Amino acid sequence: MIVEERIYSLQVGTAPEYLRLYEAEGLAIQRPILGRMVGYFTTEIGPLHQIVHLWAYRDLAERSERRARLAADEGWKAYVQKIRPFVVSQENKILIPAPFSPWAQDDPALDMARP
């Protein structure tokens, strides 16, 4: 199991509208395609105006397949055009769980939204 961490740095003051659009439109498109959302967060201390979200995958191959499906989705393409003006930068990391982490095993209990 791997976890992808995505961090979006936003224009100052745009986080509430970004989150409103994501909840209203983006979530319904992204969640069924990507499958296992670990969490979606905003920052309050440290670098501000950031959105952090985590998605779990069995491996890089599953991630690549799901990300390709998302990129090809017409609804997603339209949604991205709406939020793109808010985004200053994006950072991605692939997190590999330590052997003792609950995410180290491909545990069906962790499959929160397997389509």
Side-chain angles (χ1 to χ4, degrees):
M1 184 75 58
I2 62 171
V3 174
E4 178 178 20
E5 175 189 52
R6 286 185 167 239
I7 301 172
Y8 292 96
S9 294
L10 305 178
Q11 297 284 343
V12 174
T14 62
E17 180 63 8
Y18 179 98
L19 290 171
R20 186 195 70 72
L21 279 170
Y22 183 75
E23 185 175 17
E25 300 178 32
L27 180 61
I29 300 166
Q30 197 173 39
R31 196 169 204 171
I33 295 172
L34 295 185
R36 291 180 289 284
M37 179 192 282
V38 177
Y40 215 94
F41 308 91
T42 61
T43 57
E44 186 172 321
I45 296 174
L48 301 178
H49 317 293
Q50 290 188 330
I51 304 295
V52 179
H53 48 110
L54 305 167
W55 296 87
Y57 305 96
R58 280 187 194 77
D59 52 33
L60 287 172
E62 181 193 15
R63 178 196 173 271
S64 293
E65 183 272 325
R66 288 179 179 268
R67 296 290 316 167
R69 282 182 25 213
L70 183 65
D73 185 272
E74 292 302 320
W76 184 252
K77 289 177 188 178
Y79 165 75
V80 166
Q81 293 304 312
K82 294 177 184 179
I83 61 152
R84 185 167 281 143
F86 302 150
V87 179
V88 174
S89 65
Q90 175 184 336
E91 180 181 343
N92 288 13
K93 295 178 188 174
I94 298 297
L95 307 174
I96 309 298
F100 50 83
S101 172
W103 291 96
Q105 316 309 314
D106 190 11
D107 183 347
L110 299 177
D111 284 348
M112 295 169 268
R114 185 187 310 239

